[in-house]
Amino acid sequence: MELKEDINIQNVAMSIFDRKMEMDEPIEPKDHMPDGYRKHLIRQMSQHAHSEVIGMQPEGNWITRAPSLRAKQILLAKIQDECGHGLYLYSATETLGISRAEMIAQLHSGKAKYSNIFNYPALNWADVGAIGWLVDGAAIVNQVSLQRTSYGPYSRAMVRICKEESFHQRQGYEIMTKMMRGTKEQREMAQDAMNRWWWPSLMMFGPHDSDSPHTGDAFKWKIKRQSNDELRAKFIDKTVQQAEVIGLTVPDKELRWNEEKKHYDHGPINWAEFYKVIAGFGPCNNQRMEHHKKIHAEGAWVREAAEAHRAKHQRQ
Amino acid sequence: MATETEFPKWEVFTQIKPGANYIHAGMIHATDKEMALQNARDTYTRRGEGTSIWVVPSHAIVASNPDDKEMFFDPANDKIYRLPTFYVMPEGAKAI
Amino acid sequence: MTEQQALYKYCTQLGDNALIQSYRLAEWCSRAPILEEDLALTNMALDMTGRAQLLLQYAGQLAGKGQTEDDLAYRRSEPEYSNSLIMELPDDDFAFTMVRQLLTSTFEYFLYSALTSSTDKTVAAIAAKAVKEAKYHMAHTTDWVIRLGDGTDESSRRTQQALNKLWPYTEELFETDDAHKMLLAAGIAADVNKIKASWSEHINATRTAAKITMPSDDYQHSGGTRGIHTEYLGHILSEMQYLQRAYPDAKW
């Protein structure tokens, strides 16, 4: 008898989920949700959180060498935002019943991923510009779209993040502009950074719609609102113009405006490289993970000390 | 390897300007209330968007159950006499 | 020495202290034991960079040679730097960073409190901003030093070790020279002798709460304010000044 009633409640609850989906109402933590929905969100949101945190590393590589006090402040503030955004996203993911410690353990075991883009090195100061302009520029296209995602805490985190990230892309573009107006060496650094970051930035949107394994569910559940190719096109269209204004060359000989589609056509993306980096063979995969593991292990005694102090004093 | 424990969770509420309602901003981890306030400050008010912060241990928050939504909130729907627009004022009466 | 030259020296010294602290704090970015603390450490670094910017900008104006804050930060060599040695010591661990920051922020809190009534308007204005920051840094690090000192055996050991190592560099914070004396007479500089008692009181209270013992006090290092530094400063500057030195014609 009891079992049957449970199933009944379950059915009613699930129909509420479906109705909310249909009405475009956000799903909240205590709502019943299909297992697959919860799993998909945990996977996507924790990957997003890890990306923010791992993303601190390539830019962090230049903090001590930032060439002016102003540049240093801006870069510090920006990396600090990435850290804050990682925190917003971890908290939002924790509402799904997984702890931050579990998520970090999954990152360390390789079960959870982070954005591939951070497996590329930041080799000269212009890379800091390229990361802000291209990488954050690509991320924000995706994040603006995610503000309308169906899970309430994720959507709210995205609204906050988008509001804060608006300066990131500008600071990156400002660095590129300064370098392009600078000495010959500075212009060379800027173009070099452009050449190395352009294609990986396009890869950030993921495989073409025809090859994307998760697209189906993500759309059904309104986690994702626009396809990889739509978002990529949006990014290319706005970025090409910005590159032209400051005299940077987009490293794609096949790039052409398509009047009919009202979008740029671009050359083929090197998906072999994309999958190679995902498989762990990018230039910095080991370095990034080793850094994260090392820091986490080195901080253990601090976390234990704070816990021990609380236990002794029962402060809360 | 020992299982990693976590600092307790705290919900953060910020007041954007004096006199405004406190609004939920998110969550942080901390082992005591001083740390909770400082972490909340650094996480949620980096752009000066706060004049005051509340932190509350997450376990102290009791949330209504979505299954009870109808029972909890629908009965308020027909009590329109709580709204000022329910009342007809005689013409010429001002500032009421 | 004119009063203006003395003030240049004074502001450069305060600016260098802020700048070198900001360098060390910023090194923690993406390295903190918890994410929340990563934010806290970079926040302190940002406060210090901003303070260095204001102080060095003013110093540049006083010198009257058209030097910007960046010229002073990125084109001076080690002997021209006048920060206290304690600022440049490399961070062994989180306990070291927290103890150092407690020692310096407590000093800065009382120093800038006094400087808010400086007869020099610019110094007073910078102090009014700095005192708020220092008060927060002091509170944050006081809490952490107590947690670490009175935490586990390991954290207590590390905290004690940090204090032992840092203590011989504390006296230098209270050193004065002719420039100080001249500015003190003019009501521009703060009287560090008056600050010493308040500083000692807060440090001792925190140390007691953290259950850490007082290190032996038989030797104190000195030299930073006269341009004689530890070997560490050279490495800080070669990293910090790399782009400005490698591409002297470039604007960043």
Side-chain angles (χ1 to χ4, degrees):
Chain A
M1 272 308 280
E2 236 182 75
L3 185 75
K4 207 175 163 193
E5 227 176 76
D6 269 2
I7 289 170
N8 223 348
I9 288 171
Q10 196 73 16
N11 285 344
V12 173
M14 289 324 293
S15 75
I16 293 175
F17 177 87
D18 290 337
R19 206 182 60 214
K20 279 189 151 194
M21 273 289 146
E22 211 179 285
M23 305 286 289
D24 254 344
E25 258 185 58
I27 307 298
E28 291 299 334
K30 288 187 94 179
D31 289 344
H32 289 274
M33 56 185 94
D35 259 3
Y37 178 79
R38 186 184 299 272
K39 277 191 191 138
H40 188 107
L41 280 172
I42 289 178
R43 187 181 56 77
Q44 181 173 334
M45 290 167 69
S46 68
Q47 169 168 343
H48 202 158
H50 296 323
S51 301
E52 296 282 356
V53 173
I54 299 289
M56 295 165 72
Q57 290 183 40
E59 290 172 293
N61 182 39
W62 280 93
I63 284 183
T64 54
R65 291 177 290 172
S68 73
L69 295 177
R70 179 178 182 271
K72 184 172 181 158
Q73 282 171 304
I74 295 170
L75 182 59
L76 262 175
K78 174 172 187 276
I79 303 178
Q80 195 190 34
D81 272 353
E82 318 285 2
C83 181
H85 298 168
L87 270 174
Y88 303 164
L89 285 159
Y90 281 126
S91 344
T93 318
E94 285 177 73
T95 62
L96 290 161
I98 182 168
S99 71
R100 201 198 294 176
E102 280 174 87
M103 287 186 262
I104 290 173
Q106 289 183 354
L107 174 68
H108 289 178
S109 75
K111 190 185 170 206
K113 302 278 182 214
Y114 56 89
S115 178
N116 236 1
I117 193 82
F118 302 119
N119 290 319
Y120 291 88
L123 299 177
N124 80 55
W125 173 251
D127 285 39
V128 173
I131 292 174
W133 174 45
L134 297 175
V135 176
D136 289 4
I140 205 151
V141 170
N142 197 23
Q143 285 168 345
V144 164
S145 174
L146 279 171
Q147 291 182 110
R148 296 186 297 127
T149 193
S150 60
Y151 187 54
Y154 194 20
S155 148
R156 289 191 285 274
M158 277 302 123
V159 170
R160 191 177 256 279
I161 289 172
C162 284
K163 214 161 78 184
E164 299 189 351
E165 290 234 338
S166 53
F167 100 81
H168 293 187
Q169 211 195 345
R170 281 182 176 219
Q171 69 87 30
Y173 191 56
E174 188 195 81
I175 291 177
M176 294 309 254
T177 309
K178 271 192 181 170
M179 306 271 294
M180 288 306 287
R181 289 180 186 160
T183 62
K184 180 171 168 284
E185 284 137 324
Q186 282 178 302
R187 284 195 298 278
E188 280 166 7
M189 283 184 218
Q191 186 62 53
D192 171 47
M194 176 80 182
N195 295 347
R196 283 181 288 106
W197 289 95
W198 174 256
W199 289 104
S201 299
L202 296 193
M203 293 177 199
M204 282 175 72
F205 296 94
H208 289 303
D209 297 347
S210 47
D211 308 321
S212 179
H214 298 294
T215 298
D217 280 347
F219 270 96
K220 186 181 81 193
W221 286 323
K222 300 186 176 176
I223 294 173
K224 207 171 161 147
R225 293 307 190 96
Q226 283 170 292
S227 78
N228 294 353
D229 285 333
E230 277 170 352
L231 294 168
R232 186 164 21 237
K234 213 176 235 190
F235 170 71
I236 295 174
D237 293 349
K238 66 171 186 156
T239 311
V240 170
Q241 191 269 341
Q242 292 163 0
E244 280 167 0
V245 168
I246 56 173
L248 278 167
T249 309
V250 178
D252 178 359
K253 290 201 176 77
E254 296 173 48
L255 190 79
R256 249 165 225 94
W257 178 253
N258 183 326
E259 187 54 41
E260 200 177 313
K261 286 199 276 178
K262 299 283 179 213
H263 285 304
Y264 279 96
D265 289 330
H266 60 83
I269 294 172
N270 184 350
W271 294 112
E273 177 185 315
F274 176 75
Y275 288 110
K276 193 185 84 181
V277 179
I278 286 189
F281 304 111
C284 300
N285 297 56
N286 287 339
Q287 187 189 339
R288 302 289 182 240
M289 282 313 297
E290 269 170 30
H291 176 90
H292 197 278
K293 285 180 187 168
K294 178 169 169 273
I295 294 313
H296 191 71
E298 280 175 6
W301 71 268
V302 178
R303 298 190 291 272
E304 282 159 23
E307 284 286 6
H309 184 79
R310 176 174 73 105
K312 279 185 201 174
H313 297 267
Q314 286 301 318
R315 300 201 304 175
Q316 223 202 57
Chain B
M1 202 172 85
T3 333
E4 173 93 23
T5 55
E6 284 200 315
F7 292 179
K9 295 188 227 174
W10 302 68
E11 301 300 324
V12 179
F13 299 82
T14 54
Q15 188 189 41
I16 287 157
K17 54 177 199 260
N21 284 323
Y22 284 75
I23 295 170
H24 186 242
M27 187 252 285
I28 48 94
H29 292 239
T31 53
D32 53 63
K33 54 183 194 282
E34 292 82 6
M35 196 198 292
L37 269 178
Q38 291 170 12
N39 289 350
R41 174 243 197 202
D42 288 337
T43 308
Y44 293 104
T45 66
R46 288 193 306 284
R47 285 166 170 73
E49 53 282 75
T51 55
S52 176
I53 301 174
W54 287 347
V55 287
V56 185
S58 298
H59 64 75
I61 301 266
V62 184
S64 66
N65 193 320
D67 295 342
D68 295 336
K69 187 174 172 244
E70 292 178 7
M71 166 182 96
F72 257 68
F73 304 110
D74 286 0
N77 288 350
D78 62 355
K79 300 191 174 50
I80 46 172
Y81 41 79
R82 288 192 200 278
L83 305 174
T85 44
F86 180 74
Y87 301 92
V88 184
M89 291 291 109
E91 239 171 83
K94 281 177 192 166
I96 181 162
Chain C
M1 185 166 39
T2 65
E3 194 175 281
Q4 188 154 337
Q5 284 165 334
L7 188 52
Y8 167 82
K9 216 175 156 197
Y10 192 61
C11 289
T12 313
Q13 194 182 326
L14 297 178
D16 289 349
N17 277 341
L19 183 62
I20 302 302
Q21 279 190 89
S22 87
Y23 182 94
R24 286 297 185 213
L25 286 164
E27 281 183 316
W28 274 101
C29 187
S30 88
R31 288 183 163 79
I34 55 165
L35 281 178
E36 284 87 342
E37 192 54 27
D38 216 298
L39 290 176
L41 288 160
T42 36
N43 244 355
M44 290 195 270
L46 276 171
D47 288 344
M48 299 286 183
T49 317
R51 191 185 306 164
Q53 201 174 21
L54 293 172
L55 286 160
L56 294 178
Q57 190 179 53
Y58 188 40
Q61 286 165 15
L62 289 164
K65 292 179 213 152
Q67 288 167 303
T68 65
E69 62 271 30
D70 284 339
D71 293 331
L72 290 176
Y74 292 91
R75 301 291 173 97
R76 276 181 306 150
S77 307
E78 293 93 309
E80 297 167 272
Y81 263 80
S82 57
N83 59 283
S84 307
L85 299 177
I86 194 170
M87 311 298 179
E88 61 202 48
L89 302 177
D91 298 77
D92 292 339
D93 58 15
F94 185 68
F96 188 92
T97 305
M98 286 297 115
V99 173
R100 173 182 27 215
Q101 210 54 53
L102 170 71
L103 296 169
T104 58
S105 293
T106 304
F107 172 75
E108 283 169 345
Y109 171 66
F110 292 114
L111 174 79
Y112 285 112
S113 299
L115 285 177
T116 52
S117 43
S118 169
T119 52
D120 185 278
K121 291 281 175 293
T122 309
V123 171
I126 296 172
K129 182 173 175 289
V131 72
K132 291 183 216 160
E133 298 164 352
K135 189 176 180 188
Y136 186 85
H137 302 165
M138 186 169 122
H140 185 75
T141 51
T142 299
D143 289 346
W144 265 112
V145 168
I146 295 172
R147 278 181 207 115
L148 296 177
D150 187 18
T152 61
D153 289 346
E154 182 181 5
S155 68
S156 164
R157 179 180 58 73
R158 286 175 184 264
T159 311
Q160 182 70 59
Q161 201 173 298
L163 187 66
N164 294 351
K165 220 167 153 177
L166 284 156
W167 195 252
Y169 293 92
T170 50
E171 199 55 43
E172 198 192 16
L173 294 170
F174 301 94
E175 260 177 26
T176 53
D177 55 19
D178 292 344
H180 276 100
K181 281 171 199 143
M182 182 187 266
L183 297 174
L184 188 59
I188 295 174
D191 187 351
V192 280
N193 289 320
K194 285 191 188 151
I195 292 169
K196 184 77 188 275
S198 320
W199 179 84
S200 300
E201 196 186 328
H202 183 77
I203 298 301
N204 274 322
T206 309
R207 189 181 53 71
T208 309
K211 302 181 179 162
I212 296 297
T213 57
M214 186 71 176
S216 67
D217 204 1
D218 35 45
Y219 184 76
Q220 285 285 334
H221 296 276
S222 160
T225 50
R226 282 170 283 123
I228 301 160
H229 290 274
T230 65
E231 288 181 349
Y232 305 116
L233 185 68
H235 292 280
I236 292 179
L237 296 190
S238 45
E239 188 154 340
M240 186 174 86
Q241 300 178 337
Y242 151 65
L243 282 170
Q244 289 257 359
R245 300 268 197 190
Y247 306 96
D249 302 328
K251 296 250 185 306
W252 304 94

